[in-house]
Amino acid sequence: MHPFTYTGLPARVVFGQGTISQLPDEVAALGISRALVLTTPGQAKQGHQVSDLLAGVSAGVFSEAAMHTPSDVTDAAMAAFADRNADGIVSIGGGSTIGLGKAIALRNDAPQVVVPTSYAGSEMTPILGQTENGKKTTQRTLRVLPETVIYDVDFTLTLPAQMTFTSGMNAIAHAVEALYAEQTNPVLSMMAEDGIAKMVDALNRVQAAPQDIGVRSDALYGAWLCAVCLGSGGIALHHKLCHVLGGSFGLPHAETHTIVLPHALAYNAPVIPQAMDALKRATGTATPAGALYDIARNGGVPTALRDIGMPQDGIDRAIAFTLENPYFNPRALERNALTELLTNAWHGTRPEG
């Protein structure tokens, strides 16, 4: 017998096609009378469409969400929330927008409805990462967990090819670490393996049929499973490295996860035999780290940190930040081995594990 603790997080999920039509009812169910709609600048048009759907319940659109949730953007959003007499949040977008909604909720307990348009998964987690003065910090609190999530496959049909692959890899990373994080348990392991398998299969098919409802449904379902793993499980070296790289060097979130994941997995592979067995089944290969690298390469997305703006002379600084406040990891963090990991990731070398 292997004792374990599993915590199921409270969240209402509406999954399907055309489910955005249920948004007004879901907003009303939370008692929201004035909903501030959040987006990034690039998704402002979608934000206004959602605002129109809400009609008189909308408090307008705030479309300045940014990567890594900068504190100054949150300050501006809080001012808009107050000026427009909002009492709730509708976030439509990926991790940047959802992160901003969480940051607002942390400060004022506003109820949140989230409409994800990518596979990032932040919508199912009580985790918030914020950046201030060039340093990203994370915290875990139920105050930021969205109350309702509306998954509408239609919003993913036009997801650009590059974003599909990087966002999908980001989702896979959540489930990979759930297999060997400190809070791992049989329930999460089952969801993680299925989530990875669904997403890997979808990513292998999506280039040939980017608007296929079945493919996109599998990807979105897999992303949801992976997100639950992140929310109810834990994280380890991979996420620590990505938090450091993103916050310290301004690297794009999903691309950083895509590049680092195969290398972080290869680092831990020697000490996680059960997790590796699950990953072999989920990827259908004997070398899961290499298989994940190949998905990114075949998808035409960056596989080297140097290609997304990471300076080579920043490797030592990244390792220092990682060791300064490390997360749990199944393998001890060794400076020389971490240097090799990040050097390989900087060059884009394919891992063998």
Side-chain angles (χ1 to χ4, degrees):
M1 183 182 77
H2 300 283
F4 66 90
T5 300
Y6 170 72
T7 301
L9 298 179
R12 175 175 169 81
V13 173
V14 180
F15 188 101
Q17 185 178 14
T19 47
I20 190 63
S21 64
Q22 300 179 45
L23 177 62
D25 290 339
E26 296 299 329
V27 167
L30 293 175
I32 299 172
S33 60
R34 295 276 294 168
L36 181 64
V37 179
L38 306 178
T39 74
T40 59
Q43 291 186 288
K45 182 178 179 181
Q46 286 181 318
H48 285 288
Q49 291 171 344
V50 166
S51 180
D52 290 344
L53 179 63
L54 290 171
V57 180
S58 174
V61 178
F62 181 88
S63 57
E64 301 303 320
M67 285 192 308
H68 309 304
T69 319
S71 59
D72 58 332
V73 174
T74 303
D75 292 339
M78 287 295 297
F81 190 94
D83 290 344
R84 303 177 194 182
N85 295 315
D87 60 358
I89 300 162
V90 173
S91 301
I92 176 166
S96 297
T97 302
I98 297 167
L100 177 58
K102 288 179 168 185
I104 295 172
L106 179 67
R107 298 191 190 187
N108 65 11
D109 279 325
Q112 304 172 75
V113 178
V114 175
V115 184
T117 61
S118 74
Y119 307 129
S122 177
E123 67 277 359
M124 296 305 298
T125 79
I127 301 169
L128 172 63
Q130 302 181 93
T131 303
E132 188 169 11
N133 299 323
K135 192 167 186 178
K136 186 170 184 177
T137 58
T138 62
Q139 60 181 299
R140 187 183 186 96
T141 170
L142 287 176
R143 284 170 62 93
V144 306
L145 183 69
E147 283 76 9
T148 302
V149 180
I150 298 177
Y151 288 105
D152 189 334
V153 178
D154 286 341
F155 280 106
T156 67
L157 295 179
T158 58
L159 199 62
Q162 178 159 346
M163 190 177 295
T164 295
F165 279 89
T166 57
S167 186
M169 289 288 286
N170 185 16
I172 290 171
H174 304 330
V176 166
E177 291 218 309
L179 289 168
Y180 54 75
E182 193 170 17
Q183 296 90 349
T184 189
N185 61 70
V187 178
L188 287 181
S189 294
M190 177 178 62
M191 297 177 77
E193 183 174 340
D194 192 25
I196 294 166
K198 287 285 193 302
M199 184 60 78
V200 166
D201 181 61
L203 291 180
N204 284 332
R205 293 186 291 147
V206 72
Q207 279 184 311
Q211 293 191 303
D212 183 277
I213 292 294
V215 172
R216 289 292 186 176
S217 294
D218 285 349
L220 193 58
Y221 177 70
W224 171 64
L225 288 176
C226 293
V228 172
C229 291
L230 177 63
S232 298
I235 52 181
L237 175 62
H238 167 78
H239 280 82
K240 178 62 181 183
L241 288 173
C242 290
H243 292 161
V244 167
L245 295 172
S248 301
F249 302 98
L251 304 186
H253 181 84
E255 287 83 350
T256 303
H257 277 270
T258 299
I259 294 165
V260 171
L261 177 59
H263 301 280
L265 176 58
Y267 182 96
N268 282 322
V271 299
I272 51 168
Q274 287 186 318
M276 291 303 291
D277 286 342
L279 287 166
K280 289 174 183 177
R281 292 191 296 269
T283 61
T285 72
T287 55
L292 293 175
Y293 177 93
D294 291 342
I295 288 173
R297 182 185 59 190
N298 294 339
V301 299
T303 55
L305 289 174
R306 63 182 177 184
D307 293 337
I308 60 170
M310 172 69 181
Q312 188 171 17
D313 61 7
I315 291 175
D316 288 341
R317 181 151 57 103
I319 292 171
F321 285 152
T322 299
L323 295 175
E324 181 182 292
N325 183 27
Y327 297 172
F328 165 85
N329 195 64
R331 177 181 170 184
L333 301 187
E334 305 161 5
R335 185 177 296 273
N336 290 342
L338 289 174
T339 300
E340 182 180 6
L341 184 164
L342 283 183
T343 299
N344 287 338
W346 190 85
H347 285 287
T349 305
R350 184 184 187 276
E352 297 300 323

